[in-house]
Amino acid sequence: MSHPADSQASPTGTTGAARRVLIVGGVAGGASCAARLRRLDEAVAIVVFERGPYVSFANCGLPYHVGNVIADERSLLVASPEIFRERFNVEVQTETEVTGIDRKARTITVRDGRAGRSRVEPYDVLVLAPGAAPIRPPLPGVDLPGVFAVRSIPDSRRIRSWIAERHASKAVVVGGGFIGLEMVENLRHRKLAVTVLEKLPQVMPPLDPEMAVPLMEHLGAQGVELRLGDGLARIERGDGDGLLVVAESGARLPADLVILALGVRPETALAKYAGLDLGPRGGIAVDAQMRTSDPHIWAVGDAVEVRDVVTGQETVLPLAGPANRQGRVAAEAIAGRATHFRGVQATAVVGVLGLTVASTGASEKGLRRAGVTSFQKVYLHPGHHAGYYPGARRIHLKLLFSVPDGRILGAQAVGREGVEKRIDVIATAIQFHGTVRDLAEAELCYAPQYGAAKDPVNLAGMLAVNVLTGDMPVADWTELPRTDAVVVDVREPGEFAAGHIPQAINLPLSQLRDRYGELPKERDLWVCCMVGQRAYYATRFLMQHGYRARNLPGGYTTYRALKAAAMVP
Ligand code: FAD
């Protein structure tokens, strides 16, 4: 999108007075834009309009306030209108909703909720940071008392009061994404029995199905009931004060409260009625400086569409980091600097009752959706630190990379310790357009209690390099039902007896050097062990003895996850 040169920042406004920058929405994107702009330009007048009662509050902390982990509501208030005024000379008007934009006149209409009056405010620059609204499906009963979405401090206050006043003991969370799962954790902290109703066959939709399996098993082990592959049909009043959630399958789930966590939708009404361009994904279209199709109007945060740096496609990504960075970029652009927003790569983490799930870049299903086919993947299950130091916990890690250049496309990890650290390293490598060779070579912290001389990130890189060089050809698990390859499980007989791939034969690595002649040279051999390491040793041995061997990446541990996700028979 290009804009006329006259749209560049000018030191004063059309009236000759200080240039007026008006910001709609005073939380992540809006507040960071206001504060950054003031640090760059003392001359502009900055006014933030916030529909709700608070600015700059920690919406990410709301679930933890419900769970009493953050007991004091005031801890959620990162900055007040007074701080904005005193520290930044930014005027904040809370409980003031912007209801319209007149682009020609360069004015907005605002409704003062306290006075109950509307008025018109002129702007030189307008910044839209209205966020995204929780999706409320048009189904019977979603507006009943006791049905909540979680977006604002008043929402978390209402949920807390409802739990306390009704002595709530049972909740249904509709939607198993980030916010749904954070609510699950916190409702469990409050000792409520929780059922998750999720339309997809998995929780955490950004993950590939097999990577969500350890999380689903963990939720089950923590007493959370999962009803997957079943959507919400309606909510009814139940016995007494209770509610009854009726699923599409007809299942009837009694609850004292219901949390709707079905995702969010960019708040674009203002932009749409003002005739600003929207993008293909329904967010406000912006250029790399966060400028909309109107050169005097910027937009940031959950409401906008941005470029996914991995797939190159437009996306909406409702996360706090991008919203804050975009607010900063917009401020710099408004101040006349040439800063650009790089795009997003969907780096995210969620903690659920002791388990951490994190991901960055594209998932396998995301790549397929985007039409990318030239990629490979490895699975590994290393300890989060050296195995000889007590307390090592497994990290389940999947790395996706492009073939043949090895560019890192994405990674997902699940485990109890050290998960987000590994994903952050890989996320940084993606930012710098890194390849799997960079991961193999990365010099990372190591002492026994923190990592390993070959950190899980290094290992992931090394495995991927081995795939690229042909040192470790990998087989595609999903081809198992169709292959005529011989599946050779190289674990010890006791391990094999405890569970194996149905068509596998057992030839332990410890006997391979003596018995490899028993294997057919004319057939492909797909080699499997528990996590992939012994199979790698066996694959190398067999390849050097003239066999066509491939590793089944991640071994039987990955097989079990794929099977639980119905991806292999
Ligand atoms: P918001 O922060 O939502 O701010 C928009 C503000 O604009 C709202 O306060 C709204 O009242 C106001 N507004 C809207 N329209 C108008 C109008 N017409 N006039 C005046 N004001 C208006 N992200 C993470 O990265 N990690 C997390 O752990 C995480 N946890 C979350 C947990 C919860 C419960 C929620 C709700 C979100 C979470 N997020 C998390 C997402 C993150 O909070 C958002 O991505 C981020 O706040 C978006 O910033 P924003 O400025 O675009 O919108």
Side-chain angles (χ1 to χ4, degrees):
M1 206 181 299
S2 66
H3 298 292
D6 72 359
S7 65
Q8 279 303 311
S10 64
T12 56
T14 45
T15 60
R19 198 159 64 117
R20 280 196 105 214
V21 179
L22 305 188
I23 300 178
V24 185
V27 189
S32 45
C33 182
R36 179 66 180 159
L37 182 57
R38 174 58 74 227
R39 292 196 290 275
L40 299 178
D41 190 343
E42 270 295 319
V44 288
I46 307 172
V47 187
V48 175
F49 298 97
E50 169 53 53
R51 183 170 57 193
Y54 305 104
V55 277
S56 205
F57 66 90
N59 23 23
C60 307
L62 297 173
Y64 305 93
H65 182 45
V66 171
N68 255 344
V69 179
I70 301 171
D72 186 349
E73 187 183 279
R74 287 168 301 183
S75 307
L76 297 170
L77 301 173
V78 181
S80 61
E82 292 71 38
I83 288 182
F84 271 100
R85 190 178 56 244
E86 286 158 13
R87 209 171 276 179
F88 301 117
N89 184 26
V90 168
E91 185 188 338
V92 173
Q93 300 192 12
T94 54
E95 296 188 58
T96 306
E97 180 170 10
V98 177
T99 55
I101 305 170
D102 183 338
R103 287 168 52 197
K104 233 179 174 168
R106 271 194 239 160
T107 60
I108 56 172
T109 307
V110 303
R111 184 173 166 72
D112 181 334
R114 289 190 198 93
R117 273 196 303 271
S118 289
R119 62 178 194 279
V120 168
E121 295 268 356
Y123 66 81
D124 296 292
V125 170
L126 182 64
V127 181
L128 302 178
I135 293 172
R136 261 184 190 267
L139 294 172
V142 292
D143 294 321
L144 282 173
V147 181
F148 302 96
V150 196
R151 183 183 183 186
S152 64
I153 289 182
D155 289 336
S156 57
R157 196 182 290 155
R158 280 192 286 269
I159 297 170
R160 283 169 62 98
S161 311
W162 187 271
I163 292 173
E165 284 160 15
R166 316 271 160 148
H167 303 290
S169 64
K170 229 180 257 170
V172 171
V173 175
V174 186
F178 284 97
I179 294 178
L181 292 183
E182 287 181 350
M183 288 306 296
V184 167
E185 168 170 287
N186 284 288
L187 292 168
R188 292 295 293 139
H189 284 160
R190 298 291 299 265
K191 309 277 181 256
L192 274 82
V194 183
T195 301
V196 178
L197 183 65
E198 166 60 59
K199 178 114 181 156
L200 294 174
Q202 69 171 86
V203 294
M204 280 300 289
L207 293 182
D208 288 323
E210 74 281 18
M211 295 305 289
V213 166
L215 172 60
M216 296 192 286
E217 289 175 352
H218 178 73
L219 284 165
Q222 296 290 320
V224 177
E225 191 190 335
L226 295 181
R227 289 198 69 89
L228 304 172
D230 201 359
L232 175 68
R234 62 182 184 279
I235 304 171
E236 298 173 355
R237 284 183 203 279
D239 296 337
D241 280 348
L243 295 162
L244 199 61
V245 176
V246 183
E248 285 172 347
S249 65
R252 297 165 78 78
L253 313 169
D256 298 317
L257 81 153
V258 177
I259 304 290
L260 292 181
L262 294 145
V264 296
R265 195 171 281 138
E267 285 227 19
T268 53
L270 267 182
K272 203 162 143 193
Y273 292 127
L276 296 176
D277 288 351
L278 301 186
R281 301 292 309 279
I284 303 171
V286 289
D287 66 11
Q289 288 203 297
M290 310 312 299
R291 202 185 314 222
T292 68
S293 51
D294 181 322
H296 302 282
I297 305 179
W298 272 254
V300 301
D302 288 1
V304 305
E305 243 178 66
V306 282
R307 200 174 57 88
D308 180 315
V309 293
V310 175
T311 62
Q313 297 186 337
E314 293 298 301
T315 186
V316 284
L317 185 72
L319 288 177
N324 277 276
R325 297 201 308 279
Q326 290 161 10
R328 193 178 163 91
V329 168
E332 303 213 346
I334 292 164
R337 296 194 177 183
T339 317
H340 287 84
F341 184 66
R342 287 191 196 177
V344 294
Q345 61 188 72
T347 306
V349 62
V350 65
V352 192
L353 299 164
L355 200 74
T356 305
V357 178
S359 56
T360 186
S363 61
E364 183 172 351
K365 60 186 173 188
L367 289 174
R368 293 195 194 284
R369 257 197 317 267
V372 181
T373 50
S374 53
F375 67 88
Q376 260 295 3
K377 64 193 170 211
V378 289
Y379 296 95
L380 58 162
H381 311 275
H384 86 286
H385 63 47
Y388 65 82
Y389 187 86
R393 310 302 297 256
R394 235 182 233 307
I395 298 177
H396 303 287
L397 182 56
K398 176 178 184 178
L399 178 71
L400 293 144
F401 52 97
S402 131
V403 175
D405 60 2
R407 188 166 67 91
I408 308 157
L409 299 175
Q412 300 159 49
V414 187
R416 287 182 172 268
E417 301 281 346
V419 168
E420 71 289 359
K421 163 176 154 171
R422 274 58 192 219
I423 291 298
D424 276 343
V425 171
I426 298 173
T428 309
I430 291 177
Q431 278 263 321
F432 295 145
H433 312 289
T435 71
V436 293
R437 291 177 192 83
D438 297 311
L439 298 185
E441 284 289 324
E443 188 170 310
L444 303 171
C445 292
Y446 166 54
Q449 57 184 313
Y450 297 110
K454 280 184 201 156
D455 188 87
V457 169
N458 299 133
L459 284 176
M462 289 169 185
L463 293 186
V465 171
N466 282 342
V467 173
L468 286 178
T469 55
D471 284 346
M472 186 186 74
V474 282
D476 182 347
W477 282 106
T478 60
E479 290 296 318
L480 262 184
R482 285 170 291 280
T483 184
D484 60 0
V486 178
V487 178
V488 186
D489 190 322
V490 296
R491 294 176 298 163
E492 294 304 310
E495 295 173 274
F496 185 78
H500 57 262
I501 301 166
Q503 71 253 53
I505 60 164
N506 187 213
L507 204 178
L509 178 67
S510 55
Q511 301 171 24
L512 187 64
R513 284 175 192 278
D514 299 327
R515 292 180 47 199
Y516 70 92
E518 295 171 24
L519 295 171
K521 253 200 174 137
E522 68 289 355
R523 303 266 302 272
D524 285 336
L525 304 178
W526 286 11
V527 188
C528 174
C529 63
M530 197 62 192
V531 294
Q533 190 174 11
R534 281 175 284 174
Y536 166 54
Y537 302 153
T539 302
R540 290 299 307 149
F541 173 85
L542 290 166
M543 285 173 74
Q544 292 180 70
H545 286 78
Y547 287 85
R548 297 198 309 261
R550 290 179 177 272
N551 192 345
L552 279 160
Y556 189 63
T557 307
T558 295
Y559 172 79
R560 274 197 311 223
L562 291 161
K563 189 168 164 59
M567 294 165 77
V568 293

